[in-house]
Amino acid sequence: MTSLDERLAGLSPEKRALLTQLLQKKRAATAQADAIPRRPDPSQHPMSYAQQRLWFLDQFEPDSPFYNISAALGLTGPLDVAALEQALNAIVARHEVLRANFITEKGYPAQVVAPERRIPLPVMDLRQRSPQEQNAAVQRMAVEEARRPFDLAQDPLLRVQLLRLDEEEYVLLLTMHHIISDGWSTGVLVQELSALYPAFREGRPSPLAELPIQYADYAAWQQEWLQGEVKERQLAFWRETLGELPGPLQLPFDHPRPPVQTYRGAHHYFAIPERLQGKLAALAKEEDATLFMTLLAAFQALLHRYSGQEQIHVGTPVANRTRMELEPLIGFFVNTLVLPGRFQDSLTFRELLRQVRETALGAFAHQDLPFEMLVEELQPERDMSHTPLFQAMFDLQKAPPERFQVGDLELRVMEVETGTAKFDLILVVQEREEGLQGIIEYNTDLFEEGTIQRMAGHFLNLLESALADPDQPIARLELLSPEEKHQILVEWNDTAHPFPQDRTFHAAFQEQVTHTPDRTAVAFLDQELSFAQLNARANQMAHHLRRLGVQPDQIVALVLDRSPEMLVGILGILKAGAAYLPLDPSYPAARLQFMLEDSQAPILVTQEGLVDKLPIADLQSPISVIRLDADWPAIAQEPTDNPPEMAGPDNLAYVIYTSGSTGTPKGVLIQHRSMLHLATALHRIVYDGDDQLRRISLNAPISFDASVQQIVMLTKGYTLDILPHAVRQDSHELLRFIRERRLDALDCVPSQLKLLLDAGLLDGSGWAPAKVLPGGEAIDPETWRILRQAPATQFYNMYGPTECTVDSTIAPVHASGDQPTIGRPVPNAQAYILDPHGQPVPVGVPGELYIGGAGVARGYLNRPELTAERFVPAEELGVGSWKSEAGPLDSLLLTPYSSRLYRTGDLCRYRPDGHIEFLGRVDHQVKIRGFRIELGEIEATLRQHPSVDDAVVVAREVTAGHKQLVAYVV
Ligand code: AMP
Ligand code: MG
């Protein structure tokens, strides 16, 4: 056990190779002359750089067990406890560092070494207990020992405890502080015990040769050696290798990162299938690389695919005993190297492996620079929430022999779960007799076990895919198992539900009229129209429009103040066969003019008081104007019966403009079918088919598609109560209005909801609506928590772009966990979260949300390129070509409504339960009080000003929770 070769066998192959190489070089070049000398003053015990850092960490967080190194050894045989204790103490006598303490002198750390120190070997007798009790006690004691902190200034920094289970059955627990030890040191300790114990048992003297030097000699030498040019050369290498430091590694965390890292952890074990091992070896051989390098490449590729980051830093430990005289020492030698991986789009796995090989060889050749010195040099931004320079580590280890014989004792290494994790994530691969075994140590503040389990699966899938074809781009490597894909793509999107897909919106409304002719359809203060009245007026309007030659797919503009006439206008236009284009009279004239011209609407429906404010005279082509009030006597001459149907479910129902990033807004084309789809989805998810809930608000302006979410409910017999302008402006007025009119459901944007909450919506002092539908922008976690606790009101987080007919996903807040989510796709909608290559991302990993199904718009008016860019045929995406056993995806889910998916530009991720979390935008679109704004549109407009050279616009939270646009101009 003590020979160099056997120790080398404990290292990963490349470390072994490099070590041997380095050792030979050093030996040949220097022989005795360059050996580390004993320090001149043996009463001084200088500290190494690594020790100084640990001391500092300990000052910062005293009594933390995270730098304990522990081992549990099972002993079987006739143990001589006195000989064991004697052996332990002989080791303590041999190694100064085992008698060391670390004290503070004038603010600086100092190592003091006791000339003598006895380590007691307490024995705990567990012989009376049952085997189960013994097992539990051993585990508990092992963890307790491993987690009991050391006082660096006082305690012996090696601690032992013997548990006696039976006459010839023991467990020896060994714990050392990392400041005097490392993994290799544990091996030295066990080896020395194995030599000393049998000798002492037989009354022989110690067979061990005296140590050539002590740890403090190494520390003194290190300080001397790592200076000037040597240090500069090392630093220069690392500066260049690491380049610009990347931000912290973004993994699919389950929980937000605590402000201070706690080192709470757990381990997940998984086997690397045998079929991969041969291929691993073959690829490594082909590329003159090692197993270490090949596995590291796969790990870096996984982290890259998870994070999307182009530079992936992974740490790896090196034993750092590059000189013969260091090998028999106990002490803190282990060093950490940072191995960067650099990714760009087309990089293949083979290319990555070559890169890793170069990086690793260079790094191992420059392993002498202590990690702490590197940190000091590179000065990464100080942040207590994670480790500096890297957060994930990789190590390939030869598993120690599980059992070995010492005289008449059999020793066996036992595994103990200590519940700690030094980094966010460590992947260890152990070479065992039965094959390769993976172990993931992970921080439990960040990750749930399920996430790590999936991660291990993704690592294996990726590895398998890379080994099958190393010349494919990393971006194409398979992460997901077929089962995962089926779950994400099919099960979570299996939303089919019947809805009236073969008719127009107004046909469905007309049918509702026959069921509830006398029920109020629309109310505005003291005005009311029943379903029959609304229908009759809309019919007159439709007949009137038909006379003007209105055709399906034609666009009729609508500009009205808030009143029941809005509904007469909308239904009249639809019944005529045309699509309505709602415009807000308060918009600037230039914008109104743009939308009227861009849409080429031949007819404008408005009212007397607004005509003069509209840019009608400035239009390039003439437009017929109908004033609903002034012209009504003429319209009232028309018949009140339903006009014959001219449109079908595929015809346009409305056009709503949204902000455009290149400077001009674009009109979104929505078909009749999509409106009826929306009505069905809402009826099912929000209203649970409950027809007692009747009175719903019309809060959003009709120029804003949130209004459609309310208007479509007319087809289910709901009453629309139009909120007057003044009521919308004042949260106290609004609350009074809701209570007075006993609204069952309220639509709003989150900013308005917050004001309503402040005004007392949930204070229990009056009527509260059964349903509140905030949507249009993200709900903050604080508000989410309040909404979850509301007793009588159910809140629904409504998510959806205008391009997908208002609502694509909905989260019932009360049933959606305690972090905000946008929920799941509504009936007949599909949601896919894809990476930049159109491949589905794993649960927890951010990607862009794509929406499919019955709500997807026809496209943008007169903007074929933009339409092609945003509405992507599914078969052009990775998902579209995916086939399960049941058939290709598009035949499963996408037809018959649309085989195109809308790219939302929203960054989202799945939770393990399939709920979608909204993370932000991939572009420069913002939401301010529910208004969708492309910052680019404003910048383009600003740049048109003669005295503006360039402009940048951002949305800033000027006061808490209050976002405003801020422009910076040159
Ligand atoms: P709009 O077309 O005006 O409905 O805007 C759609 C965009 O608003 C989406 O693409 C999201 O960026 C954002 N959005 C809408 N609803 C939500 C929501 N419930 N949570 C977070 N963001 C939302
Ligand atoms: Mg929306």
Side-chain angles (χ1 to χ4, degrees), residues 867-903:
T867 301
E869 187 187 313
R870 306 304 300 188
F871 296 83
V872 191
E875 67 264 16
E876 284 177 18
L877 296 163
V879 273
S881 55
W882 182 73
K883 289 186 184 59
S884 80
E885 275 173 21
L889 186 66
D890 56 352
S891 76
L892 288 177
L893 299 170
L894 295 171
T895 50
Y897 319 116
S898 169
S899 61
R900 296 167 312 141
L901 303 180
Y902 173 68
R903 279 185 87 147

Short mmCIF file of all heavy atoms in Angstrom, two decimals, residues 867-903:
data_model
loop_
_atom_site.label_atom_id
_atom_site.label_comp_id
_atom_site.label_asym_id
_atom_site.label_seq_id
_atom_site.Cartn_x
_atom_site.Cartn_y
_atom_site.Cartn_z
N THR A 867 -44.56 37.82 -40.82
CA THR A 867 -45.43 36.68 -40.53
C THR A 867 -44.63 35.38 -40.60
O THR A 867 -44.71 34.53 -39.71
CB THR A 867 -46.61 36.64 -41.51
OG1 THR A 867 -47.34 37.86 -41.39
CG2 THR A 867 -47.53 35.47 -41.22
N ALA A 868 -43.82 35.24 -41.64
CA ALA A 868 -43.04 34.01 -41.81
C ALA A 868 -42.03 33.86 -40.67
O ALA A 868 -41.73 32.75 -40.23
CB ALA A 868 -42.32 34.02 -43.15
N GLU A 869 -41.52 34.99 -40.19
CA GLU A 869 -40.52 34.92 -39.13
C GLU A 869 -41.13 34.51 -37.79
O GLU A 869 -40.53 33.77 -37.03
CB GLU A 869 -39.89 36.32 -39.03
CG GLU A 869 -38.72 36.44 -38.10
CD GLU A 869 -38.32 37.90 -37.95
OE1 GLU A 869 -38.22 38.61 -38.99
OE2 GLU A 869 -38.14 38.34 -36.80
N ARG A 870 -42.33 34.98 -37.52
CA ARG A 870 -42.93 34.74 -36.20
C ARG A 870 -43.86 33.54 -36.15
O ARG A 870 -44.09 32.99 -35.08
CB ARG A 870 -43.70 35.98 -35.71
CG ARG A 870 -42.93 37.27 -35.70
CD ARG A 870 -41.66 37.22 -34.89
NE ARG A 870 -41.87 36.90 -33.49
CZ ARG A 870 -40.92 36.96 -32.57
NH1 ARG A 870 -39.70 37.33 -32.91
NH2 ARG A 870 -41.19 36.63 -31.32
N PHE A 871 -44.45 33.20 -37.30
CA PHE A 871 -45.37 32.04 -37.33
C PHE A 871 -44.66 30.94 -38.11
O PHE A 871 -44.60 30.97 -39.33
CB PHE A 871 -46.69 32.42 -38.00
CG PHE A 871 -47.48 33.47 -37.25
CD1 PHE A 871 -47.21 34.83 -37.41
CD2 PHE A 871 -48.50 33.10 -36.38
CE1 PHE A 871 -47.92 35.79 -36.72
CE2 PHE A 871 -49.23 34.06 -35.69
CZ PHE A 871 -48.93 35.41 -35.86
N VAL A 872 -44.09 30.00 -37.38
CA VAL A 872 -43.16 29.06 -38.00
C VAL A 872 -43.85 27.71 -38.20
O VAL A 872 -44.44 27.17 -37.26
CB VAL A 872 -41.94 28.86 -37.08
CG1 VAL A 872 -40.84 28.10 -37.80
CG2 VAL A 872 -41.42 30.20 -36.58
N PRO A 873 -43.77 27.17 -39.43
CA PRO A 873 -44.34 25.84 -39.61
C PRO A 873 -43.65 24.85 -38.67
O PRO A 873 -42.42 24.84 -38.56
CB PRO A 873 -44.00 25.50 -41.07
CG PRO A 873 -43.73 26.81 -41.71
CD PRO A 873 -43.18 27.71 -40.65
N ALA A 874 -44.44 24.03 -38.01
CA ALA A 874 -43.88 23.13 -37.00
C ALA A 874 -42.82 22.22 -37.59
O ALA A 874 -41.83 21.89 -36.92
CB ALA A 874 -44.99 22.31 -36.36
N GLU A 875 -42.99 21.85 -38.85
CA GLU A 875 -42.01 20.89 -39.39
C GLU A 875 -40.63 21.54 -39.57
O GLU A 875 -39.64 20.84 -39.72
CB GLU A 875 -42.49 20.24 -40.68
CG GLU A 875 -42.62 21.15 -41.87
CD GLU A 875 -44.06 21.68 -42.04
OE1 GLU A 875 -44.84 21.57 -41.06
OE2 GLU A 875 -44.38 22.19 -43.12
N GLU A 876 -40.55 22.86 -39.52
CA GLU A 876 -39.23 23.49 -39.60
C GLU A 876 -38.53 23.48 -38.25
O GLU A 876 -37.37 23.85 -38.14
CB GLU A 876 -39.37 24.94 -40.06
CG GLU A 876 -39.66 25.04 -41.54
CD GLU A 876 -39.86 26.48 -41.98
OE1 GLU A 876 -39.45 27.39 -41.23
OE2 GLU A 876 -40.45 26.66 -43.05
N LEU A 877 -39.25 23.10 -37.23
CA LEU A 877 -38.67 23.08 -35.88
C LEU A 877 -38.39 21.64 -35.49
O LEU A 877 -39.00 20.72 -36.02
CB LEU A 877 -39.65 23.71 -34.89
CG LEU A 877 -39.94 25.18 -35.14
CD1 LEU A 877 -41.20 25.60 -34.41
CD2 LEU A 877 -38.76 26.02 -34.69
N GLY A 878 -37.48 21.51 -34.54
CA GLY A 878 -37.16 20.16 -34.06
C GLY A 878 -38.38 19.40 -33.59
O GLY A 878 -38.52 18.21 -33.84
N VAL A 879 -39.31 20.10 -32.96
CA VAL A 879 -40.49 19.41 -32.45
C VAL A 879 -41.35 18.83 -33.56
O VAL A 879 -41.95 17.78 -33.41
CB VAL A 879 -41.44 20.32 -31.63
CG1 VAL A 879 -41.02 20.37 -30.21
CG2 VAL A 879 -41.59 21.68 -32.25
N GLY A 880 -41.41 19.58 -34.68
CA GLY A 880 -42.33 19.19 -35.73
C GLY A 880 -41.96 17.86 -36.35
O GLY A 880 -42.81 17.09 -36.79
N SER A 881 -40.66 17.57 -36.36
CA SER A 881 -40.23 16.35 -37.02
C SER A 881 -40.19 15.17 -36.04
O SER A 881 -39.86 14.07 -36.41
CB SER A 881 -38.83 16.56 -37.62
OG SER A 881 -37.97 17.00 -36.60
N TRP A 882 -40.54 15.45 -34.80
CA TRP A 882 -40.46 14.39 -33.81
C TRP A 882 -41.63 13.42 -33.96
O TRP A 882 -42.77 13.81 -34.13
CB TRP A 882 -40.48 14.99 -32.41
CG TRP A 882 -40.35 13.95 -31.36
CD1 TRP A 882 -39.22 13.25 -31.03
CD2 TRP A 882 -41.39 13.45 -30.52
NE1 TRP A 882 -39.50 12.37 -30.04
CE2 TRP A 882 -40.82 12.47 -29.70
CE3 TRP A 882 -42.74 13.76 -30.39
CZ2 TRP A 882 -41.56 11.78 -28.75
CZ3 TRP A 882 -43.48 13.08 -29.45
CH2 TRP A 882 -42.89 12.10 -28.64
N LYS A 883 -41.31 12.15 -33.92
CA LYS A 883 -42.37 11.14 -34.02
C LYS A 883 -42.33 10.26 -32.78
O LYS A 883 -41.28 9.81 -32.37
CB LYS A 883 -42.13 10.25 -35.24
CG LYS A 883 -42.36 10.94 -36.56
CD LYS A 883 -42.23 9.93 -37.70
CE LYS A 883 -42.35 10.60 -39.05
NZ LYS A 883 -41.33 11.65 -39.28
N SER A 884 -43.50 10.02 -32.23
CA SER A 884 -43.56 9.04 -31.16
C SER A 884 -44.13 7.75 -31.75
O SER A 884 -44.44 7.69 -32.93
CB SER A 884 -44.46 9.54 -30.03
OG SER A 884 -45.81 9.34 -30.38
N GLU A 885 -44.27 6.76 -30.92
CA GLU A 885 -44.83 5.51 -31.41
C GLU A 885 -46.22 5.74 -31.99
O GLU A 885 -46.66 5.06 -32.91
CB GLU A 885 -44.93 4.50 -30.27
CG GLU A 885 -43.62 3.77 -30.08
CD GLU A 885 -43.65 2.89 -28.85
OE1 GLU A 885 -44.74 2.55 -28.39
OE2 GLU A 885 -42.54 2.57 -28.37
N ALA A 886 -46.92 6.74 -31.42
CA ALA A 886 -48.30 6.98 -31.85
C ALA A 886 -48.36 7.75 -33.17
O ALA A 886 -49.41 7.89 -33.76
CB ALA A 886 -49.04 7.75 -30.78
N GLY A 887 -47.21 8.28 -33.62
CA GLY A 887 -47.24 9.03 -34.87
C GLY A 887 -46.51 10.33 -34.72
O GLY A 887 -46.06 10.67 -33.63
N PRO A 888 -46.37 11.07 -35.83
CA PRO A 888 -45.67 12.35 -35.75
C PRO A 888 -46.48 13.36 -34.97
O PRO A 888 -47.71 13.28 -34.90
CB PRO A 888 -45.51 12.77 -37.21
CG PRO A 888 -46.54 12.01 -37.95
CD PRO A 888 -46.82 10.76 -37.18
N LEU A 889 -45.76 14.30 -34.39
CA LEU A 889 -46.40 15.27 -33.50
C LEU A 889 -47.51 16.04 -34.20
O LEU A 889 -48.57 16.26 -33.64
CB LEU A 889 -45.33 16.23 -33.00
CG LEU A 889 -45.80 17.22 -31.95
CD1 LEU A 889 -46.17 16.49 -30.69
CD2 LEU A 889 -44.73 18.24 -31.68
N ASP A 890 -47.27 16.44 -35.46
CA ASP A 890 -48.28 17.31 -36.06
C ASP A 890 -49.60 16.58 -36.27
O ASP A 890 -50.66 17.17 -36.20
CB ASP A 890 -47.76 18.00 -37.33
CG ASP A 890 -47.28 17.01 -38.36
OD1 ASP A 890 -47.22 15.82 -38.02
OD2 ASP A 890 -46.98 17.44 -39.47
N SER A 891 -49.51 15.28 -36.49
CA SER A 891 -50.78 14.58 -36.65
C SER A 891 -51.44 14.36 -35.29
O SER A 891 -52.64 14.18 -35.19
CB SER A 891 -50.57 13.26 -37.37
OG SER A 891 -50.01 12.32 -36.47
N LEU A 892 -50.63 14.38 -34.23
CA LEU A 892 -51.20 14.17 -32.90
C LEU A 892 -51.91 15.41 -32.40
O LEU A 892 -52.96 15.34 -31.80
CB LEU A 892 -50.09 13.81 -31.90
CG LEU A 892 -49.47 12.45 -32.04
CD1 LEU A 892 -48.35 12.29 -31.03
CD2 LEU A 892 -50.53 11.38 -31.81
N LEU A 893 -51.28 16.56 -32.58
CA LEU A 893 -51.76 17.73 -31.87
C LEU A 893 -52.06 18.95 -32.74
O LEU A 893 -52.94 19.73 -32.43
CB LEU A 893 -50.71 18.15 -30.84
CG LEU A 893 -50.39 17.13 -29.76
CD1 LEU A 893 -49.19 17.57 -28.99
CD2 LEU A 893 -51.59 16.95 -28.84
N LEU A 894 -51.31 19.13 -33.79
CA LEU A 894 -51.34 20.45 -34.41
C LEU A 894 -52.50 20.67 -35.36
O LEU A 894 -53.05 21.75 -35.43
CB LEU A 894 -50.03 20.70 -35.15
CG LEU A 894 -48.84 20.74 -34.21
CD1 LEU A 894 -47.56 20.76 -35.00
CD2 LEU A 894 -48.93 21.97 -33.33
N THR A 895 -52.84 19.67 -36.12
CA THR A 895 -53.97 19.83 -37.02
C THR A 895 -55.25 19.69 -36.20
O THR A 895 -55.20 19.13 -35.12
CB THR A 895 -53.93 18.75 -38.11
OG1 THR A 895 -53.75 17.51 -37.48
CG2 THR A 895 -52.78 19.01 -39.07
N PRO A 896 -56.38 20.15 -36.64
CA PRO A 896 -56.61 20.75 -37.94
C PRO A 896 -56.52 22.27 -37.93
O PRO A 896 -56.70 22.89 -38.96
CB PRO A 896 -58.04 20.31 -38.25
CG PRO A 896 -58.70 20.28 -36.92
CD PRO A 896 -57.62 19.91 -35.92
N TYR A 897 -56.23 22.87 -36.77
CA TYR A 897 -56.38 24.34 -36.72
C TYR A 897 -55.21 25.05 -37.37
O TYR A 897 -55.37 25.95 -38.15
CB TYR A 897 -56.52 24.81 -35.28
CG TYR A 897 -57.41 23.91 -34.48
CD1 TYR A 897 -56.92 23.20 -33.39
CD2 TYR A 897 -58.73 23.74 -34.85
CE1 TYR A 897 -57.73 22.37 -32.68
CE2 TYR A 897 -59.55 22.89 -34.13
CZ TYR A 897 -59.04 22.21 -33.05
OH TYR A 897 -59.85 21.37 -32.35
N SER A 898 -54.03 24.64 -37.01
CA SER A 898 -52.87 25.34 -37.53
C SER A 898 -51.66 24.46 -37.35
O SER A 898 -51.46 23.88 -36.29
CB SER A 898 -52.66 26.64 -36.76
OG SER A 898 -51.41 27.17 -37.10
N SER A 899 -50.87 24.35 -38.39
CA SER A 899 -49.63 23.59 -38.22
C SER A 899 -48.49 24.55 -37.96
O SER A 899 -47.33 24.17 -37.96
CB SER A 899 -49.35 22.76 -39.46
OG SER A 899 -49.20 23.65 -40.55
N ARG A 900 -48.84 25.83 -37.74
CA ARG A 900 -47.79 26.80 -37.46
C ARG A 900 -47.75 27.11 -35.97
O ARG A 900 -48.76 27.08 -35.28
CB ARG A 900 -48.05 28.10 -38.23
CG ARG A 900 -47.98 27.92 -39.74
CD ARG A 900 -48.55 29.14 -40.43
NE ARG A 900 -49.83 29.48 -39.80
CZ ARG A 900 -50.23 30.73 -39.58
NH1 ARG A 900 -49.46 31.74 -39.94
NH2 ARG A 900 -51.38 30.96 -38.99
N LEU A 901 -46.56 27.39 -35.50
CA LEU A 901 -46.39 27.78 -34.10
C LEU A 901 -45.98 29.24 -34.05
O LEU A 901 -45.16 29.68 -34.87
CB LEU A 901 -45.31 26.93 -33.43
CG LEU A 901 -45.51 25.41 -33.47
CD1 LEU A 901 -44.34 24.72 -32.77
CD2 LEU A 901 -46.82 25.02 -32.80
N TYR A 902 -46.54 29.95 -33.09
CA TYR A 902 -46.16 31.36 -32.94
C TYR A 902 -45.01 31.48 -31.95
O TYR A 902 -45.08 30.97 -30.82
CB TYR A 902 -47.35 32.20 -32.46
CG TYR A 902 -46.95 33.62 -32.14
CD1 TYR A 902 -46.55 34.49 -33.16
CD2 TYR A 902 -46.91 34.07 -30.83
CE1 TYR A 902 -46.13 35.78 -32.87
CE2 TYR A 902 -46.50 35.37 -30.53
CZ TYR A 902 -46.11 36.21 -31.56
OH TYR A 902 -45.69 37.48 -31.27
N ARG A 903 -43.96 32.13 -32.39
CA ARG A 903 -42.79 32.39 -31.52
C ARG A 903 -43.10 33.56 -30.65
O ARG A 903 -43.15 34.69 -31.14
CB ARG A 903 -41.62 32.86 -32.38
CG ARG A 903 -40.82 31.86 -33.09
CD ARG A 903 -39.68 32.59 -33.74
NE ARG A 903 -38.61 32.66 -32.76
CZ ARG A 903 -37.34 32.63 -33.09
NH1 ARG A 903 -36.98 32.58 -34.36
NH2 ARG A 903 -36.43 32.67 -32.18
#
